[in-house]
Amino acid sequence: MRILARLFGNEWRDISTAPHRRTLELAVIDSGVHAAEAPCIRNADGWIDATTMRPVQIRATHWRYWNPDLNFRACC
């Protein structure tokens, strides 16, 4: 699993490096990982829920690119 995360570049990064206008998964990492319930987008005013486009109040410490569950299926 760790190899797949590195392959797709989806490890947790410091919140100060979060890009604007991208769908991201946010987390607070302290004694464990507490991920936000929904994907979020960073804008000039803070964070918005990517599904509802409403502002959210979160004090995230880390982010990674949002990857919805991928279903790998054979074509044949």
Side-chain angles (χ1 to χ4, degrees):
M1 206 58 164
R2 191 171 193 79
I3 294 171
L4 286 176
R6 287 186 185 205
L7 180 65
F8 290 107
N10 205 21
E11 293 189 13
W12 291 109
R13 297 168 174 89
D14 188 85
I15 199 67
S16 65
T17 65
H20 288 78
R21 299 183 308 269
R22 297 289 306 266
T23 303
L24 306 172
E25 182 178 11
L26 302 180
V28 175
I29 299 178
D30 46 29
S31 59
V33 176
H34 311 283
E37 294 180 14
C40 295
I41 299 171
R42 184 179 185 184
N43 65 20
D45 299 323
W47 296 98
I48 59 173
D49 183 310
T51 56
T52 64
M53 302 307 280
R54 292 187 177 158
V56 293
Q57 297 298 319
I58 186 169
R59 297 193 79 126
T61 59
H62 292 77
W63 70 274
R64 64 183 174 188
Y65 291 105
W66 174 258
N67 284 326
D69 294 332
L70 300 175
N71 292 326
F72 294 100
R73 297 177 188 212
C75 65
C76 308

